Amino acid sequence: MPKLRHVAVAALCAALLILTGCGRAESGHPGPSRTTGANGLHDGPAWRYDYTGKDTNASFEDIAAASADDAWAVGKSPVTGWVDDQRTLLFHYDGKAWRPYDLPPALRRLDELPIVRLDASGPGDVWLFAGVLTNPERSHPPLAAHWDGKTWQVVDLPRDFPDAVFGAAAFGPEDAWVVSRTDTAWHWDGRQWRDFRLPGRAYALAGVSGRDLWAVGAGPESESVPGAAAMHWDGKKWTEATLPTEPPGPEDDPHFAELNYVVALSTRDVRAFGDVLSEGGDSDAYSAALELRWDGSRWAKQDEPACCVTGHGPKAFFLSPKRYLTPSGEELRITQPPCLAGRPGKVGAKGCRQKLQLEDYAAVPGTRQTWGVGSVRGSGAGADPARPVIVRLTAAP
């Protein structure tokens, strides 16, 4: 998803990076299975470039993989400085190379809609959703489009469809879901969108099928101190799951919890990631990572919660472009790609002064590989140039 990355997770990760390097945060150490090497991490695989753009003020934001030979990525330019007149970049992968794809007339309105979300179930079923974060007057209504393997076609939306989609899950041309950090989920049945009321607010979606889908987020807005929420769709109805209780914190500053990301590895292995936070009150502000796991019968809290999971691939939960966790909990360091010639940044006496910044990840179907999309930026302060890149990683066996 970005879509926007969750601010709460980013703030938590930034704080924990100083203390722990954004590993398993709550215990303050990386854990016994990940304690080798100078930095306490195992060496892992390396990113390699699949595409590097020449634009020095652009970035990819989202990606959807329909198959190993068919994928789509979307980005924006410019991304620093004056961005009111952003252009939308649409790219397609045909199994050989990533190439720019001219926006069809039906999608030209993407230039005025900054938040774009992609999802796919296969080569003939790719969804694109675009909108704005807040738009009380709806002067720029949201956009939905579907790729059937040959053409992009705009799909009509109800008047009360969300202004921006933050979570999507496609299981086929007649089965797709979206959520937008509210208590409503929307379902596409092949003909129309239908809304479903949820027992809580849904931030993200994941499932193994259209009859086994999870939505995670937070409790309803009516709760004074909302807790984390997980809701399940069994093909007929949404039900709220029982989650482990979180500490309420001091009376002057109670803690609230939310889940921002969910991954369904199987019907008996679903992982949800988020955080427990407070706003400070009369005491110090509090934040801690939260990780829950569904084993097919109940949700349980993980003892060493992973910080800042923002994407996943085969055998990988990405904490940042520099490290990931395996499903067994081993943390691996990712070797960075070589320094790009020319801007942004320079290659000097101290080596490469560039930083890989990834906004979204997608598993390459049928492989152990993952695509990452984002940009390469200079490592200095200020508005450094940004070159759009698509990278690929092969997970360790």
Side-chain angles (χ1 to χ4, degrees):
M1 79 143 130
K3 66 195 177 219
L4 295 181
R5 291 296 176 198
H6 303 289
V7 176
V9 176
L12 173 62
C13 188
L16 291 174
L17 268 169
I18 299 173
L19 299 175
T20 68
C22 200
R24 295 269 176 165
E26 193 171 55
S27 64
H29 57 78
S33 64
R34 300 180 298 279
T35 56
T36 64
N39 295 322
L41 297 178
H42 292 278
D43 288 329
W47 289 114
R48 67 175 177 86
Y49 294 115
D50 261 17
Y51 173 84
T52 58
K54 295 181 179 179
D55 191 334
T56 58
N57 196 352
S59 177
F60 287 108
E61 297 184 352
D62 210 87
I63 181 172
S67 73
D69 298 324
D70 189 358
W72 294 86
V74 66
K76 292 288 184 177
S77 176
V79 292
T80 62
W82 187 262
V83 298
D84 285 358
D85 296 324
Q86 278 187 327
R87 295 179 296 109
T88 296
L89 313 173
L90 185 63
F91 275 66
H92 181 244
Y93 180 72
D94 60 5
K96 297 180 180 178
W98 286 94
R99 296 183 175 89
Y101 191 95
D102 289 338
L103 290 178
L107 298 187
R108 299 285 166 80
R109 208 162 54 82
L110 282 174
D111 288 339
E112 63 190 36
L113 299 172
I115 302 174
V116 184
R117 170 74 169 140
L118 291 167
D119 204 80
S121 71
D125 183 36
V126 183
W127 282 95
L128 182 151
F129 304 97
V132 295
L133 182 59
T134 57
N135 189 12
E137 299 179 357
R138 295 189 74 105
S139 58
H140 297 288
L143 170 71
H146 184 261
W147 171 262
D148 62 6
K150 297 181 180 179
T151 60
W152 283 101
Q153 297 198 7
V154 170
V155 177
D156 291 336
L157 297 175
R159 289 181 58 86
D160 53 350
F161 196 81
D163 288 333
V165 168
F166 289 94
F171 300 102
E174 299 178 355
D175 191 3
W177 289 89
V178 300
V179 294
S180 184
R181 300 178 68 87
T182 68
D183 62 358
T184 301
W186 291 84
H187 180 251
W188 172 256
D189 63 7
R191 296 175 301 172
Q192 62 183 354
W193 289 98
R194 178 186 174 191
D195 63 299
F196 288 79
R197 182 60 60 87
L198 301 174
R201 289 170 290 163
Y203 297 0
L205 290 169
V208 297
S209 74
R211 289 184 172 85
D212 186 9
L213 176 65
W214 286 96
V216 302
E221 292 184 359
S222 58
E223 292 183 353
S224 57
V225 184
M231 298 149 280
H232 184 254
W233 171 258
D234 63 3
K236 296 181 179 180
K237 64 182 184 301
W238 285 98
T239 56
E240 185 174 11
T242 300
L243 300 182
T245 57
E246 293 299 325
E251 292 184 2
D252 65 333
D253 186 21
H255 301 161
F256 62 93
E258 59 185 12
L259 295 169
N260 302 303
Y261 197 81
V262 60
V263 180
L265 300 178
S266 71
T267 59
R268 297 179 178 274
D269 190 357
V270 181
R271 317 285 180 95
F273 306 91
D275 37 48
V276 182
L277 302 165
S278 75
E279 296 181 354
D282 295 332
S283 61
D284 293 334
Y286 172 84
S287 64
L290 174 64
E291 180 182 351
L292 304 177
R293 183 175 181 178
W294 170 259
D295 64 3
S297 60
R298 69 184 183 94
W299 286 95
K301 190 186 304 183
Q302 299 299 97
D303 292 335
E304 295 183 357
C307 162
C308 318
V309 171
T310 56
H312 76 283
K315 301 183 178 182
F317 298 105
F318 290 94
L319 307 178
S320 77
K322 293 185 176 181
R323 59 191 67 196
Y324 73 82
L325 291 176
T326 66
S328 63
E330 182 182 24
E331 186 171 338
L332 298 180
R333 178 176 49 218
I334 305 173
T335 301
Q336 298 299 283
C339 199
L340 293 178
R343 298 175 67 186
K346 298 179 180 179
V347 180
K350 296 183 179 181
C352 183
R353 298 175 58 188
Q354 297 179 3
K355 178 176 68 174
L356 177 65
Q357 182 172 311
L358 298 181
E359 304 297 334
D360 193 33
Y361 305 85
V364 182
T367 74
R368 291 190 294 109
Q369 298 179 333
T370 301
W371 275 307
V373 296
S375 63
V376 167
R377 299 172 182 254
S379 59
D384 290 306
R387 286 180 61 179
V389 298
I390 301 174
V391 291
R392 186 191 294 246
L393 177 143
T394 301

